Amino acid sequence: MSRLSIGSLFRRPEAGAFLGMVAVIAFFLIFGGINFLKPSGIASWLNVAANIGIIAIPVGLLMIAGELDISIGSMIPAGSMIVAIMSGHYDFPIWMSIIVVLGFGVVVGFINGFLVVHTAVPSLIVTLGTLFAVAGLVLGLSVLITGTTSVSIKAPDFYKAVFGQFIGGTYQVIILWWFAVTAVYIFYIHYTKYGNWIFAMGGDRESARNAGIPTTKLTIILFILSACSAAFVGMCQALLFNSAQVSAGMSYIFNVIISVVVGGVVLTGGFGSVVGIVFGTITFAVVNQGIYFTSFDRNWSSLIIGVMLLAAVLMNNTFRSMALSYAPKKK
Amino acid sequence: MSIFKNVMGALLATATLGVAPVMAQEGATIAIIGGRADDAFFAKIGRGIDDATLVVEAHGGTVNYLQLQTYDNIGGDAANLVRTAISQGVDIIAVPNWVPDAQDEAIEAAMAAGIPVMLYNAGGGDKAAELGAINYIGNEEYPAGLAGGKYFAEHGATNVICVNTVPGAGNLEARCDGIRDGMAESGGVSEQLPLPASAFGDPTAVAEAIKATLLGDETIDGIFTISSADADSAYIGMQQAGRVETVALGSFDMNVAGLERIRDGEQLFAIDQQPWLQGFLAVTLADGYVNYGLAMATSPLLTGPGIVDASNIEATLKGGELGYR
């Protein structure tokens, strides 16, 4: 690790994800033209990436630790509806709604984490349960309180500027949030002991616990992070679009997991990186939005998205096996 | 032994009590099948059903609202709900005929079992006549799209994009076809923009797709969305492309945010199929048919398309805030 060489860069866990990202950007540059990399073109996929990315990192960390959280699918509308009902339907100040949104994230995340560590039920099933439970709770309460499933909200300028505004008319402010939380995650995961703990848990939970890692606490914290992140994204969406719906967000479950896997995280845990997840998220967003810059018949978009994502993952796998099988030459 | 007797006695008493009201019941047992509970549109239909239930209960009857859990296999699931209603021995069934190929058989089985059927929300008058259903209450998709297309053309649009977030759904395709043909009558054009499934439910992805489409074609001067939530996204997409002034926005159905846009002059119109009326009329007419043999002479009973624009926005907005519009 002393010298930085081209070879060692290629063997980093995010190398495959990075090259996959470059490849899809090059693809759409060729077929979509330069508009794709003009400021408004960049905003096209960066906005989508930021919304997914904020959730993808904690979900990715959970996957590295060997767990999964699909309850994010209903935490997004929960975040939207809480802020819309509290500050749109009623007139509570937004800061109060934000506390409730994040507080709800803590509660649901804690329930997920607590059930996962204290029962033998797999996290997929536990969070499937909370996915439906939260969706039902949000729907029931929304109809009970407002009589509808769609509530409008007009936030004051300050809160719009911080959570749901366009910078320069094109970039969602949530992009800055994404960059900020990414920096924090990179620091904690790759430069403190907590990161190694997470990787160790994904590798072998028993040994990790025997080595003195507080696996229970860490798992619960990760579930709280993913639930809060999803609720936060939902809240920002409500403030940006001035409207909240009960039934949004389910597509995020798939989109987030795809982004994480394209980013080089192994489904079985123990391998991946925060930067890789960021590249994976950008790749996913580019593939999804790039289509609109090309002249391809739109009816084929899903096919193109599927093929390109597969190509990106395969590329990733090739680099990962190169990285894992590498042994320095003997001098 | 005495305990056994007591238990049996209690059970018998309960059974008798349980049966007695059913025997005494004179009203209709109505089964009505509907969409998902978190579907904003069906929430308004549900409002109408709830209100109509008061009438049914006043006549001594009951309403059983059977809702789909998902839309992944809408035709087959709806057909299964019809069969569930048949097995419950209801007096009448009201059902949207979303996918006739999958549902017709179940609907015919209901009628063969002596249970009359009322079509509502989807299916259309021709289908009701073909199956021998009592009536069709609702909107017809193609004419509604046609009305939207004409309205666009009347207000100066020449190139309208019809944003379809669920490509392949027959009723949505019909809406977009209607828009296209309505535009064509005045020489305008309309193309469909089918979005991939990964964009459904992600407002940013829908907004960005619309923005990119607008940036790619300067001649687009109208955007039509197939749902009210998509209209929220479309407006943001137009804003980002800097085309709010030059592009007219229209949508199928509406929510409060959309109604506020119409009030503030930021959205041209919304096509309203009045879902509350669909739910309310389906149940009250079913009740009247079973109890008193009442039937409407008009067929189909169209609840739409109505157009909500600046001219009638105030009353609509009031209904919207209460969950009726």
Side-chain angles (χ1 to χ4, degrees):
Chain A
M1 283 303 282
S2 54
R3 279 180 304 129
L4 206 64
S5 68
I6 301 284
S8 73
L9 272 180
F10 274 130
R11 285 186 296 276
R12 291 189 60 81
E14 53 269 13
F18 177 74
L19 288 173
M21 180 180 79
V22 171
V24 296
I25 290 178
F27 177 87
F28 284 112
L29 205 54
I30 294 166
F31 288 97
I34 191 65
N35 266 341
F36 184 62
L37 285 184
K38 282 186 179 162
S40 65
I42 291 177
S44 239
W45 42 268
L46 211 50
N47 288 342
V48 174
N51 280 279
I52 297 175
I54 289 182
I55 309 170
I57 298 176
V59 170
L61 294 179
L62 272 170
M63 285 165 71
I64 291 173
E67 305 292 353
L68 194 59
D69 183 1
I70 60 169
S71 66
I72 53 156
S74 58
M75 285 308 294
I76 295 170
S80 306
M81 290 307 288
I82 289 174
V83 72
I85 289 176
M86 283 187 64
S87 302
H89 186 74
Y90 297 112
D91 288 322
F92 289 105
I94 303 247
W95 61 264
M96 215 184 266
S97 311
I98 296 173
I99 294 174
V100 175
V101 166
L102 295 179
F104 186 65
V106 171
V107 170
V108 174
F110 181 81
I111 293 172
N112 282 336
F114 186 85
L115 289 177
V116 167
V117 294
H118 290 286
T119 66
V121 182
S123 50
L124 173 72
I125 306 301
V126 168
T127 56
L128 185 75
T130 45
L131 170 76
F132 284 113
V134 170
L137 186 69
V138 171
L139 170 66
L141 285 180
S142 301
V143 173
L144 196 69
I145 295 171
T146 68
T148 72
T149 57
S150 167
V151 178
S152 78
I153 173 172
K154 285 258 156 63
D157 289 343
F158 169 75
Y159 290 102
K160 270 209 83 98
V162 177
F163 297 108
Q165 186 63 278
F166 286 99
I167 305 166
T170 45
Y171 294 96
Q172 288 185 13
V173 71
I174 200 171
I175 296 172
L176 297 181
W177 284 96
W178 182 38
F179 289 165
V181 298
T182 302
V184 174
Y185 280 120
I186 289 177
F187 173 74
Y188 272 101
I189 301 307
H190 299 298
Y191 296 97
T192 68
K193 61 185 176 188
Y194 304 109
N196 284 334
W197 286 0
I198 292 172
F199 284 97
M201 275 164 58
D204 184 346
R205 181 171 297 262
E206 278 302 298
S207 320
R209 206 180 53 213
N210 292 340
I213 296 174
T215 53
T216 303
K217 215 162 118 192
L218 206 55
T219 309
I220 292 179
I221 288 175
L222 285 178
F223 274 109
I224 289 177
L225 275 177
S226 69
C228 284
S229 305
F232 177 82
V233 169
M235 179 192 82
C236 292
Q237 282 179 355
L239 295 182
L240 182 82
F241 291 92
N242 301 321
S243 175
Q245 270 82 28
V246 168
S247 63
M250 288 295 173
S251 63
Y252 271 84
I253 301 173
F254 256 128
N255 295 354
V256 161
I257 294 175
I258 295 167
S259 298
V260 170
V261 173
V262 170
V265 173
V266 182
L267 273 174
T268 45
F271 192 92
S273 78
V274 174
V275 180
I277 296 171
V278 170
F279 291 151
T281 309
I282 293 178
T283 308
F284 178 78
V286 164
V287 169
N288 267 278
Q289 300 306 122
I291 301 283
Y292 305 111
F293 290 87
T294 67
S295 51
F296 300 143
D297 185 337
R298 301 290 181 259
N299 291 318
W300 298 101
S301 0
S302 287
L303 175 69
I304 296 168
I305 291 171
V307 170
M308 296 216 55
L309 287 176
L310 258 184
V313 172
L314 290 179
M315 201 152 171
N316 223 325
N317 273 9
T318 315
F319 274 90
R320 185 167 53 241
S321 56
M322 267 168 65
L324 290 178
S325 62
Y326 174 78
K329 279 190 194 125
K330 285 186 179 137
K331 295 243 168 89
Chain B
M1 200 57 194
S2 65
I3 293 173
F4 177 74
K5 259 187 186 167
N6 283 341
V7 172
M8 281 308 284
L11 276 177
L12 270 173
T14 322
T16 330
L17 279 173
V19 167
V22 178
M23 300 290 278
Q25 181 178 321
E26 285 166 9
T29 315
I30 299 167
I32 180 161
I33 289 153
R36 262 167 53 170
D38 59 356
D39 181 330
F41 182 81
F42 267 91
K44 294 172 200 164
I45 287 190
R47 257 297 167 80
I49 293 174
D50 287 346
D51 290 351
T53 300
L54 300 175
V55 176
V56 179
E57 283 171 354
H59 294 161
T62 56
V63 177
N64 187 9
Y65 187 21
L66 304 161
Q67 290 185 279
L68 290 175
Q69 296 299 319
T70 72
Y71 289 155
D72 299 334
N73 179 25
I74 190 166
D77 289 350
N80 284 338
L81 288 179
V82 171
R83 292 184 192 280
T84 305
I86 298 173
S87 68
Q88 288 171 347
V90 298
D91 295 323
I92 189 166
I93 298 172
V95 58
N97 198 352
W98 286 296
V99 189
D101 288 342
Q103 290 176 244
D104 282 0
E105 215 182 291
I107 291 170
E108 281 162 352
M111 288 189 278
I115 303 171
V117 173
M118 179 86 83
L119 295 187
Y120 83 104
N121 177 253
D126 294 343
K127 195 70 196 175
E130 178 199 323
L131 289 170
I134 305 160
N135 208 336
Y136 171 71
I137 304 156
N139 182 62
E140 304 217 316
E141 303 283 4
Y142 178 80
L146 199 68
K150 283 181 185 164
Y151 189 87
F152 260 126
E154 278 164 22
H155 289 77
T158 55
N159 182 4
V160 173
I161 293 295
C162 184
V163 184
N164 188 350
T165 42
V166 192
N171 60 330
L172 302 182
E173 303 277 345
R175 291 177 189 178
C176 286
D177 289 350
I179 293 276
R180 185 193 60 214
D181 295 350
M183 291 285 297
E185 285 182 13
S186 319
V189 291
S190 172
E191 257 192 55
Q192 211 186 109
L193 174 66
L195 298 190
S198 56
F200 184 80
D202 181 349
T204 297
V206 175
E208 294 299 335
I210 290 167
K211 181 191 83 179
T213 307
L214 286 174
L215 290 177
D217 187 349
E218 286 291 325
T219 65
I220 297 171
D221 51 12
I223 294 281
F224 185 80
T225 59
I226 50 103
S227 79
S228 52
D230 290 339
D232 295 340
S233 308
Y235 181 69
I236 295 290
M238 286 158 51
Q239 241 178 4
Q240 284 193 61
R243 300 273 283 277
V244 173
E245 303 294 322
T246 52
V247 174
L249 176 61
S251 86
F252 222 98
D253 302 334
M254 51 210 191
N255 58 14
V256 175
L259 293 175
E260 286 172 349
R261 274 197 302 275
I262 294 175
R263 182 193 61 197
D264 300 340
E266 296 164 338
Q267 178 171 334
L268 185 60
F269 71 100
I271 295 179
D272 185 14
Q273 46 172 321
Q274 311 197 95
W276 183 87
L277 277 180
Q278 292 180 10
F280 184 79
L281 290 177
V283 172
T284 44
L285 291 180
D287 183 64
Y289 184 85
V290 171
N291 288 334
Y292 320 112
L294 294 167
M296 280 289 198
T298 325
S299 178
L301 271 179
L302 296 181
T303 61
I307 287 199
V308 175
D309 59 9
S311 66
N312 56 1
I313 186 64
E314 287 304 332
T316 314
L317 197 55
K318 213 168 147 195
E321 277 161 1
L322 295 171
Y324 289 91
R325 296 296 294 267

